[in-house]
Each structure stands twice: as C-alpha cells, then as structure tokens.
C-alpha cells in the first residue's frame, strides 16, 4: 500500500549530547501534534535532521535504530552543512528575504551550493524509503529544491509542499540570484500550500514572471501536469490548550505566579528570538505607554518570554544585545521596590507554565513585523477559560486574516500600538468576551487536525484532476490508433488551428509565419488528405503565408473561406455588418493610449485588443477594465466579448469556427476527421465534430476535445507521423 512520508528540516525531536551519550527529547510543537496521527500510522514515516551533528558511524547506526522505533529516519548533516545550508542560505538569505528584511540578506555562492547539496541529501534519504506511488509532504523554506529533485526520480509520486513562512512579493524574490532554480524546485510538487491568500498570490506572480509558466485560478500549468496552489491557514491543537488552562496543575501555577505580581494588569509576549517578531519595537511602545500614562506605572507589567534561537547568526546576536539593553533601560528608569515594568526571560518554559502565563495575562501583545501565521496569538485565545482578555495582533501576521476580532495594529505605528494597549487595559469585560468567544469558535473549528485533513484531501483532489487530464493525453497508443485510422481512410480531413497549434506564440503576431518544417508538413499532408487551416487570423496574412499550398483556409473564425478547388479568391462565408466598429475602436484606442505595449488588430468581423507586450500585471488590469467597458457596450450592438491568449476580442456572436467547419463538411463523406486547436475559439470546432472525430486540444486545459496534447512540438510530431 502506498505510504505517506513527511519531510521537514527538523525532525519532531531534539537530539542532545549528554555525558558522551545521546538523548532524544520529543517536540510538542503544533505541527508534530497535528501530523502525529499521520506519521505514526502504518508504514508512514517522518524524515529530517535530528538537530545535532553526529560524526561517529557507530553512534549514527544506534540513532537510526532508535528513531526507527519512533517512526522517524534521520538525515545527518555535517557541521559545515549546518553552517552553510541552515545558518547560511536558509537563515541568512531566504528567511530575511521572505520576511522583507532585505538589509540582512547575504548572497553567498558557497551557501547556495550547500543548499543544493543538502536538498540532494534529503532527496537521497527519501529515495531509500520511498516507493513510486507514495505521498511525500515536504515542509518549509529549507527544502524548496526538494520537490523537483524527487519528481525527477519518482515522476508519478504524489508530492506536496507547504511553506510555513510568508512568501513575499516578486520584487523581493527577484533579488535572489538563484530565484529561478528555487521556484522550479517548488514546482516539482503537485500541491503547494501557504498560510494566506496573499502568500499564494505572490508565489503565483513570481512563478509567472520568473519561470514563464502560466496560471489560472490557483492552477499552474506545468509542462505535463497541473499544479494546485492554495492557502491553508494552519490551526493549533485547540483542545490541548483549552484543557491545559483548566487543569489543576496550571491553575495552581497561576495562583502561585499571581501572588507574586499582586493585582497588576499583565501583558504577555512570547516569541522566538527573531528580528521579524518586532521585539524592540514592542519595548519602545511599552516605554511610551508608561511615559504618556503615568497613572499606569506600578499597575501594569509586561511578561516577555524570548525563546533562544539561531544565536550563532550575527544579526540574532545583535538583536539579543539590543533587547537586553532596552529592557535594562526601561526597568532601570521605572522600577520601584515592589514593581518592575518588564519581566524578561531569555529561555523557554514547560508547557504547564506557558499555559499559566497565557491564562493569567489580561492582554497578549503579538506584534511581529512579519509572520507567516503566528501560533502564539491562537494559543492565547484558546487558553482564555473565562473568555476575558484582549488580543492585540499585528496586521503583518498571517493570523490577522482570520482573527478579525483581535485589536489589529500596524506594528510600525508606535502611537497606534500605545493606544491599542491603553484601550485594551480599559476594555469592558462584555466586549472582551464577545471578541474572545467569537475567535474561540473559529479556532475550535479550524484546528490543526482539520488543517491536516483539508491539506491531505486537497492532495487527492489535485491527483484526480491530473488523472482526468492525463487520461486524455495523446500517448503512444492513441498516436498509433490515429495513424492507423488515418492511413486506412479514403477521404480524410484535418482541421488545424494556426497560432498556438502549428506554431508557438511570439510577441509580434506578424513574426509567427510558417517555418520550413511547417511548410513541408502542410505540403506533405495536403498530398494525402484535405487540409483546412482554421484560424482567427485575417485572410490576407493566411493567404500570403500559405500561398501555393493545396489546402482550404478558413480565416477570421469563419468569416472567409478559400477552397483549394476554387483556385481564385476568398469567399465571404458570413454576412458582415461592421457599422459597430467605430464606436468600439475609439474605446479600445483609449485603452491603448493608457497602456504602453498594447495595440489593436482589426479583422473583418472583429476588433482585437492585444496585450502580450504589456508589463505583466498591468496588462491584466487594463484588460479587466476594458472587458467590463466593452461588455456594457456589446449589449447595445449585439456583440460578444471574448478573452483569449493575451487578447480581448469583440465580434458578432453568430460567427465562429464551429459554424464554418460545419458548412465546410456539408455534403462530404469523411471517413477520418482530426481537429486540433489550443484555445476557446477552437472549442467551437470541437463541439460540432461528429462522434468519431479525433479532437485534440494543445496544453493541459479543460476542453470539449477528446484529447490533450502537450505542445506545438508534439502536434508537429503527430502530423509528421501521418505523412511517413
Ligand atoms: C513558524 C512561522 C508559523 C514559544 N515559547 C515557548 C513555547 N513556544 C511555542 C509556542 C508556539 C511556537 O513556539 C511558536 O510558533 P509561532 O507560530 O508563533 O512562530 P515560529 O516559531 O516562528 O513558526 C510562523 C509557524 O511556523 C507555523 O507554521 O505560524 O509564522 O514563523 O507554538 O507555543 N513552547 C513552550 N515553552 C515556551 O517557552 N513549551
């Protein structure tokens, strides 16, 4: 049976040296709990770094055995790997970039090489355990290259990726010299998840701009499959926090702690040591509060827990020094014999004590400058057994998108934070309860278990969608069948769209003229079958490009036709009334003036607004504006507005390729029909084809056609095979 493999940089345990021996300490983190039911069942396994370097082969063997019993497998990293891959590229390049701290980014080629090397190490460790149809769920920014590395060896595996930290704007991603490799690495996955919609939007935009892959409504179209990108806001183990807060143990700690702080109001802050968490800014705001509101001195204090982290990285060392200094300054300025403004702890606490801190604090001040999600704020809400308390939450944390009942602040707006704390201190209990209980409802529903379930269900959904598409793939079997039935036919006809089908897209439509290979294919086919080029192009262009070829041509989606037997001119296939054009053209011209790179193409029966050469993003924006403008006008003129590949076209609704193809086939008895096209205009052709026709859509989009084919190259190969 196929199994599930969880992969993350760190295993959900810590390996510690103690008196020459190793000890494992399990991690009680949210992710480890949420995934517990997954990796502990059946043959499933969690692969990752145990968090310490082990050089002795005997010790390694021992660790492998012990971890095996815990359903884990280690990836051993050398001291150099840790310095260059983990502290280096992961934490000095990617972490600051992804949190918008570009001033801390380093661009070190050696670190990059180590990143590639260690991702490869992970890949090898996984390959030792994985079977071709397993599901592999990769976590976080340390392993961005891994999905593609795995895909190359296990093309049919189910690979998913979730990023726990933010994904920044393209403007930041483009600064990284290895951006393309990183994005291509992630795109090896079938499902890519982020905490918020903004993260996913940024990712899709970066992929489009940097790798050139196109995407629509959360689906990226890769070469031979679709990739789903979606947002999955991670939850916490709600019941665990709610239960712990009520437990005897925690309540006795609460009593003991509160005795020591008397009846002061308490503000809790808990973070890993990190510049993204906005710790100094928070101390400044608290300092300002005490300065502005003298009456609060002696009555409110802040409990500040900073969990040691990455203290070997220079920027973290400096941050620690800055925090020490600021806490020293505020405490020395305001403390009295029975009151200190900031109770500062640079260490972590056991779970029961953490729970007590949440439970006894009147306010949680969670003000990161950037945070993928932030679980501390959710844990605070879950620990409020009597539903009082106020959560002050930064707009820059992913959690703020869900927790709209928190008091939301911009962490850079010091006065805003000061005012928020003041308001929180004076907030009426009824309002506190209304806010906390509404947040509790939502956190209960979307807890970590629900998150895991939704993510895993989505993986299945993507695989089903992919399967639907690949079942329609023109594979060798289908190819042989088409060839065989073509060769047996006495009266075959081929309807071939031009742009995107016989030739690729280029920035200037006039540069897409047929090359020597294509001309030879068309010539070869025309000697053994009836060939119909069916295109949206204007008749003059088609006429020039295929001059001398023994083929039929349908131009402008069916307005004009040129039959090979009537050697002469083009015939009008549809009556054309173009009195509407002047009005529409003037509107389109206005959008050309506002959009550098856009231009209008005039066809006999339609006007086309092209934006392929417009700055990406701007083109889309203007197209949407023009679309709604034209839709409004179209009603008056009885016209149809259609969105194509980087174009917006407005035309008469009764003219389409389907109608033209039907007219052309009338009276003939074809015993083989092939229709190939790549966009919505070709769907009209596919729709009217008889049941026994072979209809093929280029690219992996949903279609009425019977088959999908990967690319123009493949179309040419198919046609070439028919001539052989
Ligand atoms: C990354 C992303 C995203 C803290 N102090 C103690 C303690 N903790 C626990 C908290 C909480 C966890 O650490 C911190 O989680 P956060 O989510 O707040 O932050 P990161 O570590 O930066 O996590 C973040 C997360 O991944 C998940 O996707 O939310 O945005 O940066 O669970 O409870 N636990 C104990 N004692 C402590 O003193 N026992």
């Amino acid at each position: 049976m196929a199994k599930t493999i969880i992969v993350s940089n760190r295993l959900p345990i810590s390996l510690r040296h103690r008196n020459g021996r190793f000890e494992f300490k399990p991690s009680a983190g949210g992710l480890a709990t949420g995934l517990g039911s997954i990796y502990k069942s059946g043959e499933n396994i969690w692969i990752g770094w145990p968090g310490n370097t082990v050089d002795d082969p005997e010790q390694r063997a021992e660790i492998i055995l012990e971890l095996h019993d815990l359903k884990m497998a280690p990836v051993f990293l050398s001291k150099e790997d840790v310095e260059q891959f983990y502290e280096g590229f992961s934490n000095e390049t990617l972490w600051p970039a992804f949190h918008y701290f570009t001033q801390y980014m380093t661009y070190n080629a050696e670190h990059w090489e180590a990143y590639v090397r260690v991702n490869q190490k992970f890949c090898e460790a996984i390959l030792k355990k994985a079977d071709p149809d397993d599901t592999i769920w990769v976590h976080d920014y340390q392993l961005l290259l891994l999905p593609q590395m795995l895909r190359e060896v296990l093309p049919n595996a189910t690979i998913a990726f979730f990023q726990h930290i933010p994904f920044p704007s393209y403007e930041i991603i483009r600064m990284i010299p290895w951006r393309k490799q990183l994005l291509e690495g992630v795109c090896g996955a079938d499902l890519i998840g982020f905490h918020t919609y903004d993260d996913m939007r940024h990712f899709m935009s970066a992929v489009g701009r940097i790798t050139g892959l196109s995407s629509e409504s959360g689906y990226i179209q890769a070469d031979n499959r679709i990739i789903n990108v979606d947002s999955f806001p991670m939850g916490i183990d709600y019941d665990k926090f709610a239960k712990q807060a009520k437990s005897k143990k925690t309540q006795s700690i609460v009593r003991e702690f509160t005795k020591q702080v008397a009846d002061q109001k308490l503000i809790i802050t808990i973070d890993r040591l990190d510049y993204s968490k906005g710790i100094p800014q928070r101390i400044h705001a608290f300092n300002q509060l005490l300065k502005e509101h003298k009456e609060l001195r002696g009555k409110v204090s802040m409990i500040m827990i900073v969990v040691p982290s990455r203290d070997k990285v220079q920027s973290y060392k400096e941050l620690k020094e800055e925090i020490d200094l600021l806490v020293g300054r505020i405490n020395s300025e305001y403390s009295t014999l029975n009151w200190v403004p900031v109770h500062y702890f640079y260490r972590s606490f056991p779970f029961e004590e953490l729970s007590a801190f949440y439970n006894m604090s009147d306010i949680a001040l969670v003000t990161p400058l950037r945070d993928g999600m932030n679980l501390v704020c959710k844990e605070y809400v879950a620990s409020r057994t009597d539903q009082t308390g106020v959560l002050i939450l930064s707009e820059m944390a992913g959690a703020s998108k869900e927790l709209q009942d928190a008091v939301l602040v911009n962490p850079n707006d010091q006065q805003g934070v000061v005012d928020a704390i003041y308001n929180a201190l004076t907030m009426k209990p009824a309002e506190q309860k209304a806010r906390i209980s509404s947040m509790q409802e939502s956190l209960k529903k979307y807890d970590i278990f629900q998150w895991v379930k939704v993510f895993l269900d989505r993986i299945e959904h993507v695989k089903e969608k992919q399967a639907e598409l690949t079942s329609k793939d023109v594979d060798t079997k289908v190819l042989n069948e088409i060839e065989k039935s073509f060769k047996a036919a006495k009266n075959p006809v081929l309807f071939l769209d031009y742009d995107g089908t016989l030739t690729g897209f280029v920035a200037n439509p006039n540069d897409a003229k047929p090359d020597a290979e294509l001309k030879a294919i068309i010539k070869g086919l025309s000697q053994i079958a009836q060939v119909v080029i069916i295109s949206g192009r204007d008749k003059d262009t088609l006429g020039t490009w295929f001059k001398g070829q023994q083929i039929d041509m349908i131009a402008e989606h069916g307005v004009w036709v040129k039959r090979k037997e009537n050697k002469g001119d083009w015939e009008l296939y549809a009556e054309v009334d173009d009195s509407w054009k002047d009005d529409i053209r003037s509107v389109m011209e206005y959008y050309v003036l506002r959009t550098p790179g856009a231009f209008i193409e005039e066809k006999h029966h339609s006007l086309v607004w092209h934006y392929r050469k417009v700055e990406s993003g701007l083109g889309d924006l203007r197209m949407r504006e023009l679309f709604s403008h034209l839709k409004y006008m179209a009603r008056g003129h009885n016209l149809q507005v259609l969105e194509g590949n980087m174009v917006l076209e407005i035309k008469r609704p009764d003219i389409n390729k389907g109608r033209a193809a039907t007219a052309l086939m009338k009276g003939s008895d074809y015993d083989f029909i092939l229709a190939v096209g790549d966009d919505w205009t070709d769907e009209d052709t596919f729709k009217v084809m008889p049941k026994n026709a072979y209809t093929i859509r280029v690219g992996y989009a949903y279609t009425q056609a019977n088959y999908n084919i990967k690319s123009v190259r493949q179309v040419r190969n198919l046609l070439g095979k028919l001539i052989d």
Side-chain angles (χ1 to χ4, degrees):
M1 212 180 84
K3 62 181 175 301
T4 299
I5 302 178
I6 307 281
V7 191
S8 62
N9 174 49
R10 284 292 304 273
L11 281 173
I13 47 116
S14 301
L15 181 64
R16 296 192 183 161
H17 292 276
R18 194 156 286 180
N19 310 325
R21 280 195 52 82
F22 282 101
E23 261 180 26
F24 296 112
K25 193 171 168 275
S27 142
L31 186 65
T33 318
L35 294 173
S37 61
I38 308 292
Y39 78 93
K40 287 180 188 159
S41 78
E43 293 298 300
N44 299 350
I45 187 165
W46 191 323
I47 298 180
W49 176 47
N52 220 320
T53 51
V54 184
D55 297 323
D56 176 11
E58 265 178 43
Q59 279 184 325
R60 282 190 177 193
E62 210 178 294
I63 290 167
I64 292 173
L65 275 180
E66 287 192 44
L67 285 178
H68 180 80
D69 295 340
L70 298 170
K71 307 289 308 275
M72 296 180 206
V75 179
F76 291 109
L77 301 185
S78 67
K79 201 165 154 276
E80 204 180 35
D81 289 341
V82 176
E83 279 167 16
Q84 300 179 341
F85 148 80
Y86 179 65
E87 286 157 14
F89 198 75
S90 301
N91 290 338
E92 289 182 18
T93 303
L94 295 177
W95 178 274
F98 285 20
H99 286 84
Y100 292 80
F101 282 86
T102 51
Q103 69 274 36
Y104 293 137
M105 283 170 77
T106 58
Y107 305 94
N108 183 322
E110 232 180 300
H111 288 178
W112 163 248
E113 279 157 27
Y115 189 80
V116 179
R117 181 179 73 232
V118 172
N119 271 255
Q120 197 61 52
K121 255 191 195 179
F122 271 80
C123 183
E124 281 151 26
I126 296 163
L127 292 176
K128 278 190 199 144
K129 306 277 173 192
D131 291 310
D133 56 349
D134 283 348
T135 295
I136 307 171
W137 183 1
V138 180
H139 288 263
D140 231 0
Y141 66 103
Q142 300 92 349
L143 301 173
L144 295 172
L145 301 176
L146 187 54
Q148 182 56 26
M149 289 175 172
L150 291 165
R151 175 71 57 205
E152 276 159 27
V153 193
L154 301 171
N156 297 321
T158 302
I159 304 172
F161 177 83
F162 185 83
Q163 176 152 312
H164 291 261
I165 66 173
F167 197 93
S169 137
Y170 160 73
E171 288 302 325
I172 306 277
I173 290 298
R174 68 195 290 214
M175 294 171 75
I176 305 174
W178 308 278
R179 60 213 173 171
K180 191 153 186 268
Q181 293 95 312
L182 292 166
L183 293 173
E184 285 172 348
V186 188
C187 285
D190 299 301
L191 174 65
I192 301 172
F194 297 95
H195 283 303
T196 71
Y197 172 71
D198 280 336
D199 297 324
M200 98 177 231
R201 189 167 62 77
H202 287 151
F203 176 76
M204 308 252 287
S205 140
V207 167
R209 287 162 181 236
I210 294 169
T211 69
L213 294 177
S214 62
S215 62
E216 209 185 302
S217 323
Y219 287 95
I220 295 176
Q221 261 184 44
D223 261 2
N224 51 0
R225 63 194 211 293
I226 50 162
I227 305 164
N228 189 199
V229 183
D230 210 338
S231 107
F232 302 88
M234 185 172 153
I236 56 166
D237 183 353
Y238 185 90
D239 289 340
K240 179 175 155 194
F241 281 88
K243 255 191 219 147
Q244 183 64 40
K246 283 190 197 137
S247 70
K248 275 197 189 134
K249 175 88 184 161
T250 287
Q251 284 305 319
S252 89
I253 303 172
V254 168
R255 278 191 298 279
E256 189 193 320
F257 283 178
T258 24
K259 235 186 275 162
Q260 295 169 39
V261 287
D263 55 357
Q264 281 166 42
K265 291 274 188 187
L266 298 176
I267 302 174
I268 181 81
T269 89
I270 303 181
D271 316 84
R272 252 183 336 92
L273 176 71
D274 202 291
Y275 44 77
S276 65
K277 304 284 182 184
I279 305 171
Q281 290 79 352
R282 206 179 294 156
I283 307 172
H284 284 301
F286 189 53
N287 188 45
Q288 184 65 24
L289 177 87
L290 295 177
K291 204 160 144 195
E292 275 178 28
H293 297 277
K294 296 195 174 58
E295 75 282 8
L296 293 177
R297 296 182 194 165
K299 300 213 171 81
V300 49
S301 42
M302 186 152 103
I303 301 174
M304 196 170 86
I305 300 173
V306 178
V307 182
S309 167
R310 304 177 195 170
D311 42 14
K312 293 200 185 78
V313 177
Q314 186 55 26
S315 49
Y316 288 72
K317 274 189 210 155
E318 288 167 12
L319 175 67
K320 167 76 172 44
E321 281 163 21
E322 187 185 356
I323 297 172
D324 289 353
L325 194 84
L326 289 172
V327 173
R329 216 179 268 166
I330 187 172
N331 281 351
S332 59
E333 187 170 348
Y334 296 108
S335 292
T336 60
L337 279 177
N338 53 7
W339 173 68
V340 260
V342 181
H343 299 272
Y344 169 40
F345 306 93
Y346 184 63
R347 58 172 192 264
S348 64
F349 287 84
F351 182 53
E352 314 77 62
E353 292 182 23
L354 185 78
S355 169
F357 281 126
Y358 284 140
N359 189 254
M360 66 195 265
S361 299
D362 304 277
I363 296 173
L365 186 56
V366 184
T367 53
L369 303 175
R370 261 321 140 169
D371 217 333
M373 172 51 69
N374 192 291
L375 301 179
V376 166
C377 59
K378 295 188 168 184
E379 294 165 3
Y380 173 73
V381 172
S383 310
R384 303 304 305 164
T385 41
D386 64 358
Q387 301 189 317
T388 62
V390 183
L391 170 64
I392 301 176
L393 178 60
S394 162
E395 294 163 359
M396 311 297 172
S400 69
K401 307 277 156 62
E402 276 174 277
L403 300 178
Q404 291 287 324
D405 284 302
V407 175
L408 296 179
V409 291
N410 173 350
N412 302 304
D413 171 11
Q414 183 173 305
Q415 191 58 46
V417 176
V418 170
D419 295 344
I421 304 176
Y422 186 77
N423 291 339
L425 286 167
T426 51
M427 190 184 282
K428 297 253 168 12
E431 184 178 348
Q432 296 181 21
K433 281 191 181 172
R435 288 173 181 258
I436 293 280
S437 58
S438 137
M439 292 189 281
Q440 285 184 341
E441 280 311 305
S442 144
L443 293 179
K444 234 184 263 182
K445 193 159 154 201
Y446 300 103
D447 68 2
I448 181 74
F449 305 103
Q450 182 66 12
W451 179 79
V452 170
K453 182 176 178 318
V454 168
F455 192 89
L456 292 176
D457 285 352
R458 194 70 192 171
I459 298 182
E460 265 176 47
H461 169 84
V462 185
K463 290 311 268 190
E464 277 164 21
K465 275 209 151 186
Q466 288 178 343
E468 266 173 47
L469 288 177
T470 44
S471 68
K472 293 172 81 175
D473 208 8
V474 178
D475 55 15
T476 322
K477 190 169 152 256
V478 178
L479 212 57
N480 291 339
E481 186 192 316
I482 295 178
E483 189 186 0
K484 203 168 142 211
S485 97
F486 177 77
K487 291 194 170 151
K490 299 218 163 48
N491 192 16
V493 62
L494 315 175
F495 288 93
L496 306 175
D497 165 54
Y498 188 73
D499 295 273
T501 301
L502 295 178
T503 183
F505 286 103
V506 289
N508 185 348
N510 291 330
D511 292 342
K513 53 172 168 279
D515 53 32
E517 181 197 44
L518 181 59
K519 281 187 182 159
I521 292 176
I522 298 295
K523 188 164 179 208
L525 285 173
S526 68
Q527 287 161 1
I528 47 176
Q530 181 177 348
V531 176
V532 186
I533 301 284
I534 182 165
S535 163
R537 289 256 178 193
D538 67 85
K539 67 178 190 343
D540 299 335
T541 307
L542 284 188
T544 318
W545 284 355
F546 291 100
K547 198 166 176 197
Q549 295 265 23
Q550 290 304 301
I551 57 170
D552 295 326
M553 282 181 269
I554 293 171
E556 297 192 26
H557 301 119
V559 177
W560 297 99
V561 70
K562 186 169 178 175
R563 304 298 305 255
K564 86 175 158 189
E565 57 269 22
N566 311 341
K567 292 215 164 51
D569 272 340
W570 290 86
E571 287 165 53
L572 208 51
Y573 232 28
E575 278 307 311
V576 176
D577 161 22
D578 62 0
S579 56
W580 54 272
K581 277 190 176 165
D582 287 348
D583 277 3
I584 303 282
R585 192 188 302 104
S586 68
V587 171
M588 282 188 166
E589 269 161 7
Y590 169 67
Y591 284 84
V592 168
L593 287 178
R594 292 173 59 209
T595 319
F599 63 94
I600 300 171
E601 181 190 0
E602 176 148 3
K603 294 187 189 171
H604 206 276
H605 77 301
S606 74
L607 286 172
V608 191
W609 193 80
H610 286 257
Y611 64 99
R612 184 173 303 282
K613 289 198 281 187
V614 178
E615 178 189 359
S616 104
L618 177 67
D620 259 0
L621 175 79
R622 287 283 189 275
M623 186 274 285
R624 297 261 150 252
E625 265 183 77
L626 177 60
F627 194 99
S628 59
H629 200 150
L630 289 182
K631 244 168 76 181
Y632 171 74
M633 295 182 72
R635 258 179 267 151
H637 290 286
N638 187 27
L639 296 166
Q640 190 182 25
V641 192
L642 294 162
E643 203 185 317
N645 195 316
M646 298 292 190
V647 297
L648 199 61
E649 178 153 13
I650 182 158
K651 68 176 191 59
R652 287 248 315 273
D654 50 348
I655 294 171
N656 65 54
K657 289 182 179 175
R659 185 172 170 273
T662 310
L664 196 136
M665 287 190 292
K666 206 167 164 196
S668 303
D669 197 10
Y670 297 111
D671 52 358
F672 173 94
I673 304 174
L674 172 74
V676 196
D678 76 306
D679 68 16
W680 50 268
T681 64
D682 303 301
E683 293 293 323
D684 289 327
T685 316
F686 302 147
K687 263 186 260 173
V688 301
M689 288 293 144
K691 275 216 165 61
N692 61 349
Y694 292 99
T695 49
I696 306 179
R697 172 134 178 188
V698 187
Y700 287 87
Y702 281 92
T703 174
Q704 306 252 0
N706 313 124
Y707 298 102
N708 289 91
I709 197 163
K710 188 169 148 187
S711 62
V712 169
R713 181 71 263 150
Q714 248 83 6
V715 174
R716 288 194 182 190
N717 291 350
L718 162 72
L719 298 177
K721 217 168 143 75
L722 300 185
I723 306 172
D724 280 348

